[in-house]
Amino acid sequence: VKCVDGEKTTIKSKFNFVDLAGSERAKRTGAAGQRLKEGIDINKGLLVLGNVISSLATIDPSKSKTKFVPFRDSKLTRILRGSLGGDHKTLLFVCVSPSARNLEESLNALRYANRAKNIKNKA
């Protein structure tokens, strides 16, 4: 609680910690059964998150017409709605590997982060 000119103002915070690991290719991991299904579900969520990030990154704030952003397509994007173009401050960490074996996945992670940095929040 913060007092400004004798009036109390309440400041609320919310933290969303999301580990987006699991985007590895199923063939490369050798996953099967339940683990394969989990990997597929994670990749679906990441695809929707990528679509939301792409939509938000291309919004022109000078235009009054709003663009459709598919937040409802995934539980993850519904939870992160305020952090993705809303009124929250957002910080994104991207982990990459120095190994040549992981080059494609590291480049994809960096492309993802590059699109995300173009999102303008109202915070």
Side-chain angles (χ1 to χ4, degrees):
V1 177
K2 181 171 88 172
C3 290
V4 178
D5 296 330
E7 292 187 32
K8 290 183 180 180
T9 304
T10 302
I11 298 173
K12 295 181 180 180
S13 297
K14 179 169 100 174
F15 286 97
N16 290 311
F17 292 97
V18 180
D19 180 4
L20 298 177
S23 64
E24 298 85 10
R25 308 235 181 266
K27 186 176 181 180
R28 187 170 151 206
T29 62
Q34 184 63 28
R35 200 162 276 213
L36 177 61
K37 185 181 179 314
E38 288 173 7
I40 290 169
D41 289 341
I42 290 169
N43 285 338
K44 284 180 186 175
L46 291 174
L47 176 65
V48 173
L49 180 60
N51 293 340
V52 168
I53 288 172
S54 293
S55 294
L56 291 170
T58 58
I59 289 177
D60 185 357
S62 66
K63 295 184 179 177
S64 61
K65 189 174 181 180
T66 58
K67 181 178 180 178
F68 175 74
V69 181
F71 286 112
R72 293 184 179 180
D73 292 353
S74 149
K75 288 180 186 176
L76 176 65
T77 53
R78 274 183 261 146
I79 291 168
L80 296 177
R81 186 175 186 156
S83 300
L84 298 168
D87 58 354
H88 301 156
K89 293 191 182 231
T90 303
L91 181 62
L92 173 69
F93 291 95
V94 177
C95 298
V96 296
S97 172
S99 171
R101 180 175 175 229
N102 298 318
L103 178 64
E104 185 180 347
E105 289 178 24
S106 292
L107 288 173
N108 285 337
L110 291 171
R111 285 187 198 104
Y112 211 84
N114 191 47
R115 285 184 296 168
K117 78 174 187 175
N118 294 322
I119 298 172
K120 304 294 182 224
N121 284 8
K122 298 172 191 137

